[in-house]
Amino acid sequence: MKNLEIHEEKGMEFLFSPLFSEFLFLRHAFSTRRGGTSKEPFRSLNLGPSEGEDPALVKENRRRFFEASGMKPTKVVEVKQVHGAKVINACDIPEDGIVEADGIVTNAPGVFAAVQTADCLPVLVADPVKCAVAAVHAGRRGLASGVLEAVVLRMKECFGSEAENLVAALGPAISGKCYEVGEECIPPFQQKYPQWRDFCIPLMGGKWFLDLPQVARLQLVSAGLSEERIGSTSYCTFSESARFFSYRRDGSPTGRLLSAIGIV
């Protein structure tokens, strides 16, 4: 397992996965909150629209993020994230339309798939054989619905990708020691994973800690990826307030992180 690496460029900070470094056909990055123009409570690199935020600042933040991280998209494709398991091909998203989904796949040069997060787990996937990529918003409900398995299947359907060739990088998210949920959230994971106690830790009063990155790893392995081709993340959005936005920590309004990947 290889952890994400911090990079700084032009006053911007972002994260890269070393697992993708040998793939010259793609560019990718996970944002932090450092290096932008937004004011409190969105300080400073807010990359998503939020109530009370100036859209012009978000636009400038995005320009800085893509430029500093070496991504030069001709088009950035996003969806209305709904915490489900729907995955869509970027070419099927209308130019001015809003599509509800939580995963985007593409093999089109210049098209960058992106997801927004503020505690949920962003996952970027690459197929170095078929030159295809995916961006996934993997929250608790999406993982319970099998969103990462759906991404692997969708890449096979669209591009002929084989699971054993895929490489995945897990981005910054709320860590298991900080993500407390009610007992009603646990059954979907109990039913799906015999080893569910490895990532579900009981607390007092019917509460549990749930480790989303560990669930994601298990789901990707279950879908056919090998352990060594899945990058790890040690960055916690909740506990690292100077580096990341966190909806659970800060409530609303708060900013959004962006995770993007595309083919050059």
Side-chain angles (χ1 to χ4, degrees):
M1 295 186 293
K2 292 187 177 181
N3 201 2
L4 300 176
E5 298 177 351
I6 297 175
H7 288 251
E8 293 186 24
E9 183 73 25
K10 300 181 179 178
M12 303 282 296
E13 180 186 81
F14 42 87
L15 305 174
F16 283 150
S17 172
L19 286 178
F20 291 156
S21 61
E22 64 185 87
F23 305 146
L24 301 181
F25 73 95
L26 67 78
R27 299 287 184 274
H28 79 287
F30 299 93
S31 77
T32 71
R33 67 184 298 172
R34 296 175 174 174
T37 62
S38 295
K39 311 303 181 184
E40 294 287 2
F42 309 107
R43 182 183 58 85
S44 66
L45 190 67
N46 176 28
L47 296 175
S50 302
E51 184 177 352
E53 171 66 302
D54 184 345
L57 297 182
V58 175
K59 183 178 180 179
E60 172 60 16
N61 288 343
R62 286 190 167 217
R63 185 194 67 77
R64 294 186 181 192
F65 170 67
F66 283 110
E67 179 181 305
S69 58
M71 295 184 284
K72 298 179 180 180
T74 56
K75 182 179 181 181
V76 178
V77 177
E78 298 179 77
V79 290
K80 181 180 180 181
Q81 299 167 185
V82 291
H83 297 273
K86 182 179 178 181
V87 181
I88 190 164
N89 192 326
C91 67
D92 294 329
I93 299 176
E95 193 67 34
D96 298 318
I98 298 176
V99 175
E100 293 186 348
D102 286 273
I104 307 164
V105 301
T106 183
N107 67 346
V111 175
F112 279 67
V115 291
Q116 297 179 32
T117 57
D119 277 330
C120 290
L121 177 69
V123 181
L124 302 180
V125 183
D127 180 351
V129 176
K130 299 297 184 178
C131 291
V133 297
V136 193
H137 166 251
R140 172 182 59 82
R141 285 179 288 167
L143 287 170
S145 300
V147 65
L148 294 176
E149 293 168 325
V151 165
V152 174
L153 179 60
R154 189 70 167 145
M155 292 185 75
K156 182 177 180 63
E157 292 173 344
C158 293
F159 316 122
S161 297
E162 297 295 338
E164 60 266 25
N165 295 326
L166 300 181
V167 179
L170 309 185
I174 190 169
S175 65
K177 65 181 180 181
C178 295
Y179 188 37
E180 183 179 306
V181 300
E183 59 186 352
E184 72 279 0
C185 301
I186 303 302
F189 301 102
Q190 289 176 316
Q191 297 161 11
K192 190 175 182 66
Y193 301 104
Q195 61 275 61
W196 65 274
R197 288 192 179 275
D198 291 346
F199 54 83
C200 296
I201 310 300
L203 303 171
M204 299 290 289
K207 300 294 184 180
W208 295 72
F209 281 143
L210 177 62
D211 190 335
L212 294 181
Q214 180 62 14
V215 178
R217 296 190 68 83
L218 288 172
Q219 195 162 122
L220 288 167
V221 170
S222 176
L225 277 72
S226 60
E227 280 277 358
E228 63 270 17
R229 296 174 76 86
I230 304 171
S232 63
T233 176
S234 61
Y235 295 104
C236 174
T237 51
F238 183 89
S239 61
E240 299 181 60
S241 60
R243 178 163 279 150
F244 302 112
F245 298 110
S246 168
Y247 184 85
R248 177 160 287 215
R249 182 190 65 233
D250 301 328
S252 181
T254 191
R256 292 295 184 272
L257 306 167
L258 196 73
S259 303
I261 189 169
I263 299 167
V264 295

